[in-house]
């Protein structure tokens, strides 16, 4: 099983140390309003600590598009978690460096949400649970059956409510390109080394299947 793993919400030097010890494919920095938010300067410092092999992802919610190029020195992936539409994505692609990817997060409540996002000019999708009060990071899972009923042509990450207890089920059931975790690797809101270790061990085992 060729499964990618993204660990999101990195905001402390200890977090970077844990990821270097148990490397994921992607590390996520949240630049949107969130309890996990970091500034660009903080992300620059943390990014410099991370292994070069770990791709850096920036998470944005309705960020003014003219501000986006300044993040390109730190990240290679722009993850859009707000109300960004096709026009926004097309404009963004023209002003960020060639080679940077654009991912569109989808707050899934119906299959139509997935269909609409799949039609956008994004490189990958990230399917997360819908919430009226937040654009993501709620720790809740969406109805996984919606994926089996919907045609998705783009590679996608599954997110929302995934932990060590249900990661294997998510991977086997959804067959995603990757899995995205944040709250699932935390204890009391802080990244937990043992939970990160456990997640990476599970992913390594799944990759051998």
């Amino acid at each position: 099983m060729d499964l990618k793993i993204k660990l999101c919400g990195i905001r402390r030097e200890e977090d970077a140390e844990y990821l270097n010890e148990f490397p994921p494919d992607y590390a996520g920095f949240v630049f949107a309003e969130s309890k996990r938010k970091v500034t660009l300067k903080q992300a620059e410092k943390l990014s410099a600590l991370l292994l070069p092999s770990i791709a850096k992802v920036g998470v944005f919610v309705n960020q003014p598009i003219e501000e986006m190029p300044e993040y390109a020195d730190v990240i290679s992936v722009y993850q859009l978690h707000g109300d960004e539409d096709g026009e926004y994505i097309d404009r963004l692609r023209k002003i960020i460096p060639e080679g940077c990817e654009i991912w569109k997060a989808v707050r899934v409540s119906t299959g139509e949400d997935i269909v609409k996002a799949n039609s956008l000019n994004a490189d990958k999708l990230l399917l997360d649970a819908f919430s009226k009060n937040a654009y993501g990071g709620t720790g809740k899972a969406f109805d996984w059956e919606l994926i089996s009923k919907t045609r998705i042509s783009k590679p996608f990450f599954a997110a929302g409510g995934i932990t060590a207890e249900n990661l294997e089920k998510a991977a086997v059931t959804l067959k995603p390109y990757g899995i995205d975790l944040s709250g699932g690797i935390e204890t009391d809101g802080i990244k937990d080394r043992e939970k990160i270790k456990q997640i990476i061990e599970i992913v390594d085992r799944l990759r051998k299947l």
Side-chain angles (χ1 to χ4, degrees), residues 80-81 104-108 113-114 117-118 125-129:
L80 308 179
H81 238 285
K104 184 66 183 82
V106 187
R107 295 180 292 153
V108 179
D113 297 327
I114 301 174
N118 191 60
L125 302 180
L126 187 142
L127 306 183
D128 200 353

Side-chain angles (χ1 to χ4, degrees), residues 4 6 10 15 42 56 126 146 172 175 207 209:
K4 304 297 184 184
K6 171 174 170 269
I10 307 309
D15 300 343
Q42 289 172 319
K56 287 73 177 179
L126 187 142
L146 290 174
V172 172
K175 297 178 174 57
R207 285 170 174 168
L209 296 179

Side-chain angles (χ1 to χ4, degrees), residues 7 9-22 24 27 29 42 45-47 49-50 54 185 189-194 196-197:
L7 301 182
I10 307 309
R11 57 193 177 92
R12 306 180 306 150
E13 290 187 13
E14 293 92 334
D15 300 343
E17 291 172 4
Y18 300 158
L19 266 60
N20 285 341
E21 189 176 0
F22 309 105
F29 300 112
Q42 289 172 319
K45 183 177 180 180
L46 292 169
S47 179
L49 297 175
L50 287 169
I54 302 174
I185 50 170
I190 300 296
K191 293 293 183 279
D192 185 314
R193 176 187 178 277
E194 291 305 310
I196 292 173
K197 177 176 182 287

Side-chain angles (χ1 to χ4, degrees), residues 18-99:
Y18 300 158
L19 266 60
N20 285 341
E21 189 176 0
F22 309 105
D25 300 287
Y26 300 90
F29 300 112
V30 179
F31 296 114
E33 287 303 321
S34 163
K35 60 185 178 183
R36 303 182 181 100
K37 181 178 180 178
V38 293
T39 64
L40 179 55
K41 184 172 290 188
Q42 289 172 319
E44 286 175 344
K45 183 177 180 180
L46 292 169
S47 179
L49 297 175
L50 287 169
L51 294 171
S53 60
I54 302 174
K56 287 73 177 179
V57 181
V59 179
F60 303 90
V61 172
N62 302 329
Q63 188 88 5
I65 199 164
E66 62 272 10
E67 298 176 3
M68 294 297 245
E70 64 188 81
Y71 293 86
D73 289 339
V74 177
I75 62 172
S76 60
V77 178
Y78 287 77
Q79 180 179 314
L80 308 179
H81 238 285
D83 305 308
E84 303 88 0
D85 57 11
E87 180 183 356
Y88 183 103
I89 292 173
D90 290 342
R91 289 177 59 202
L92 177 61
R93 197 173 291 281
K94 293 177 181 178
I95 64 174
I96 60 176
E98 186 175 354

Side-chain angles (χ1 to χ4, degrees), residues 110-186:
T110 68
E112 184 63 25
D113 297 327
I114 301 174
V115 172
K116 287 180 180 178
N118 191 60
S119 67
L120 296 173
N121 183 26
D123 298 290
K124 295 178 178 67
L125 302 180
L126 187 142
L127 306 183
D128 200 353
F130 177 83
S131 170
K132 292 182 179 180
N133 303 315
Y135 282 98
T138 64
K140 297 180 180 179
F142 63 91
D143 181 1
W144 291 352
E145 288 190 7
L146 290 174
I147 290 181
S148 64
K149 299 175 182 178
T150 307
R151 185 183 297 274
I152 308 175
S153 60
K154 295 183 185 296
F156 69 91
F157 281 81
I162 298 176
T163 65
E165 284 67 38
N166 64 358
L167 190 156
E168 182 171 354
K169 181 179 180 181
V172 172
T173 302
L174 305 178
K175 297 178 174 57
Y177 173 84
I179 299 285
D180 184 345
L181 296 98
S182 187
I185 50 170
E186 293 179 350

